Amino acid sequence: METFTHRGRNPYLYLLPVSFLSTGISAFLTFPRSMRLFDIGVGVAIYGVLLSLSSLVSLVMNAFIGRLVDRYGCLSAVLKALLAVSIVSHFFYIFSDDMVLLSILLVLETAASKVFVVFISQVISGIAPASYGRGLGYYKLAGSVAWAICASVSGYVTSYFGFSSLMTVVFVMAVAKMVLLTRLLLIYDSRTKDTRTRHTCDVPVRDILSASMVNALVLYMIMQLQSNGGFSYLQIYLSTVLGLDEIESGHILAASGIFEILIAALVGRICDVGRNGMKTMVVVGSVLSAIRWLVLGNVYIGFAGLLFTQFLHGVMICTINIAFIDYFRALTRDEGFGTAIGLAGALSSLCTMAGSWLFGLVGDGFGLSSAYRWLGLLGLLSVAAFLVVDVIVRPAPSRCRMTHAFAFESANTRKFEKEDSK
C-alpha cells in the first residue's frame, strides 16, 4: 500500500470502501432483483433478453467512453455519471412496481455497473502508478470480502424485512459510495493533473492495437468466454449431473470468494515485478483456468475436488481482473489506456452475450461434462497460440513506465511530506 498521502489523505481509505460497496451492492441485488422482476410478470426468457441488452449497452458504452476519456480527460465526470444512473435506478426500485420501468432500469443499471468496474481501474493507475498491480489486487480483495458477507446476508434481509427494505439499504450504500468516490476523485485529479493535461489527445486506435495488444486481447476474450459460459451453467451441473443439494452447491459456489481474498493481493504483487511478471501471471492464470474446466468435467472428483476447482476459479477471476488489465497497461501508451481498457470491456460484454449461448449449445448436444472438458481444451490451445504469437511479434521493450512511475511517486512523496511538515 502507498506510503505517502496527499495533504494527509490516503486514497486507499476511499478506494477500498468504494470496492466493498460496489461488490456488496451487486451481491445484494443479484438474486432478489431477479425474483422481484419475476413476481411482477417478467418471465425467464424476457429476463434473459434484458441481461443480453444490458451487455449490448455495456459493449457500446465501453468503446465510446474509452475514446471519450482519452480525448477529453473526463474520467471523473464519467464515473460520477455512471454511479448516478445506479443511484436513480435503486431509488425507483424501492417504490415502483411498473414492469416496463423496472426492466429498463435493470438494463441501464447493470450496464452502468459493469462499465464503472472497467474504468475505476484507470483511477487506480493514477493514484498508484508504481504499484498498479497491488492496487488492483487490493481493490479486488475488498470486493471479495464484500461478496462473502453481503451474498450471505441478502436472503435474510429480503425474507424478514422485504424487498423494499433491501433496496433501501442498497440505495443508502450507493449514496455512500458516491460520497467516497467524490473524495477519491479529488485525490486522483490532484495527482494526475499534469499528466492528464499532457496526454489528453486523440490517439489513433491503430496505434493502440499493436500486434502484442491484439494477441493479449484474443486470449482475454477466450478467458471471458470460459468464465461467462462455464459459470452460467455451474449450478445446473452441480445439481443435475453431480447430484448436490442446494446447501452443498451453495458452499461450493461461496468458496471461490474466500479463495479470491487470498489470491488477489498475491497476483497484484507478482504483476508489480514488471511486464515479465504480468505476462507470467497471464499465462499461468490462463493455464490453471483451463485445468479447472478439465477437472470439473470429471464427474468423480468428489467434494474436495470441487473445492479445488473453486480455488482455480478464484485464480481465473483474479487473472481476468488484475493480471490482464495490468498487462494491457504495460503494452499501451498512457494517453491510450482508456481506449485499451474500453476495448477490453467491450470484448468482455461481447463474450458475456456469446459465452452462455455457445456453452449451452455444446452442452445440449454433447452433455455438460463434455462441454466443460472442451472448454478446458480450448483454454490450453489458446494459451499455446498466445505464446507462439508472442514469440513471433516480439513486443517492443517497455517505455520504462514503471521506472517513470517510481520517479513520479518519489518526487511527489518528498513534495507531500514537505507540505505536511509545514
Side-chain angles (χ1 to χ4, degrees):
M1 200 172 287
E2 305 302 323
T3 58
F4 65 92
T5 60
H6 178 56
R7 296 177 183 173
R9 294 177 297 178
N10 188 326
Y12 285 95
L13 295 177
Y14 307 110
L15 177 67
L16 298 186
V18 165
S19 174
F20 185 93
L21 291 170
S22 294
T23 307
I25 289 171
S26 297
F28 272 134
L29 286 178
T30 300
F31 298 112
R33 183 169 56 181
S34 62
M35 292 304 301
R36 174 63 171 172
L37 290 171
F38 181 77
D39 290 340
I40 63 175
V42 176
V44 176
I46 297 177
Y47 183 70
V49 171
L50 293 175
L51 293 180
S52 296
L53 284 175
S54 72
S55 296
L56 180 61
V57 173
S58 175
L59 187 156
V60 175
M61 289 175 65
N62 272 300
F64 173 73
I65 290 174
R67 297 300 289 162
L68 190 70
V69 167
D70 281 342
R71 181 177 292 186
Y72 299 107
C74 55
L75 179 61
S76 295
V78 165
L79 290 174
K80 290 177 183 178
L82 292 171
L83 184 51
V85 170
S86 297
I87 291 175
V88 171
S89 300
H90 301 329
F91 178 79
F92 279 103
Y93 259 89
I94 298 174
F95 305 104
S96 178
D97 291 326
D98 186 271
M99 183 176 67
V100 175
L101 174 62
L102 296 187
S103 297
I104 293 173
L105 292 177
L106 169 71
V107 173
L108 294 178
E109 193 278 330
T110 304
S113 297
K114 291 179 180 178
V115 177
F116 181 92
V117 171
V118 171
F119 286 96
I120 193 69
S121 63
Q122 196 166 359
V123 174
I124 300 172
S125 176
I127 64 174
S131 54
Y132 184 47
R134 276 177 290 172
L136 290 173
Y138 291 136
Y139 187 85
K140 183 68 185 71
L141 187 152
S144 298
V145 172
W147 182 269
I149 295 174
C150 296
S152 61
V153 173
S154 176
Y156 291 102
V157 176
T158 306
S159 299
Y160 289 104
F161 302 100
F163 180 77
S164 294
S165 297
L166 177 70
M167 290 308 304
T168 301
V169 173
V170 168
F171 174 76
V172 172
M173 291 173 67
V175 172
K177 178 180 170 182
M178 176 66 87
V179 174
L180 292 166
L181 178 67
T182 301
R183 300 295 299 273
L184 175 66
L185 292 175
L186 287 174
I187 300 175
Y188 167 78
D189 289 336
S190 67
R191 292 189 178 181
T192 61
K193 180 178 180 180
D194 293 338
T195 41
R196 284 186 293 110
T197 302
R198 188 166 60 250
H199 289 158
T200 299
C201 60
D202 186 16
V203 182
V205 176
R206 64 177 178 272
D207 291 346
I208 297 169
L209 292 177
S210 63
S212 298
M213 175 62 75
V214 172
N215 188 33
L217 284 171
V218 170
L219 182 60
Y220 180 76
M221 287 183 64
I222 300 299
M223 286 285 288
Q224 290 284 8
L225 276 171
Q226 292 182 76
S227 175
N228 296 306
F231 193 76
S232 298
Y233 292 83
L234 185 56
Q235 179 68 70
I236 298 174
Y237 180 74
L238 294 176
S239 300
T240 61
V241 179
L242 301 186
L244 301 181
D245 59 33
E246 292 183 357
I247 296 177
E248 292 175 315
S249 298
H251 291 160
I252 293 296
L253 295 175
S256 62
I258 298 173
F259 289 132
E260 287 171 23
I261 296 172
L262 305 174
I263 297 168
L266 176 62
V267 172
R269 285 183 175 275
I270 295 175
C271 287
D272 281 340
V273 172
R275 193 162 72 178
N276 287 335
M278 301 169 200
K279 187 164 68 174
T280 298
M281 286 310 308
V282 164
V283 172
V284 172
S286 299
V287 169
L288 292 177
S289 301
I291 292 175
R292 181 263 181 113
W293 302 120
L294 293 173
V295 173
L296 190 62
N298 183 349
V299 295
Y300 305 106
I301 58 177
F303 191 80
L306 288 173
L307 285 179
F308 176 66
T309 64
Q310 288 304 96
F311 168 79
L312 296 180
H313 176 79
V315 174
M316 177 176 66
I317 296 301
C318 292
T319 300
I320 291 173
N321 294 332
I322 300 173
F324 269 102
I325 300 301
D326 206 359
Y327 191 52
F328 293 152
R329 179 175 178 262
L331 295 175
T332 312
R333 296 164 56 189
D334 290 320
E335 58 269 36
F337 184 49
T339 300
I341 59 175
L343 288 172
L347 291 175
S348 175
S349 299
L350 178 63
C351 293
T352 298
M353 291 187 289
S356 299
W357 176 75
L358 290 173
F359 187 86
L361 190 65
V362 176
D364 285 341
F366 301 94
L368 289 176
S369 296
S370 296
Y372 279 122
R373 289 194 291 269
W374 287 19
L375 199 62
L377 181 60
L378 173 64
L380 291 178
L381 292 175
S382 300
V383 174
F386 169 81
L387 291 173
V388 170
V389 174
D390 189 69
V391 171
I392 295 173
V393 299
R394 294 181 180 275
S398 173
R399 298 184 304 111
C400 299
R401 176 197 303 274
M402 303 199 60
T403 301
H404 290 162
F406 275 119
F408 168 83
E409 187 168 332
S410 298
N412 279 280
T413 301
R414 293 190 296 270
K415 175 183 175 182
F416 298 148
E417 288 177 348
K418 183 177 179 180
E419 290 179 350
D420 291 339
S421 65
K422 291 182 179 180

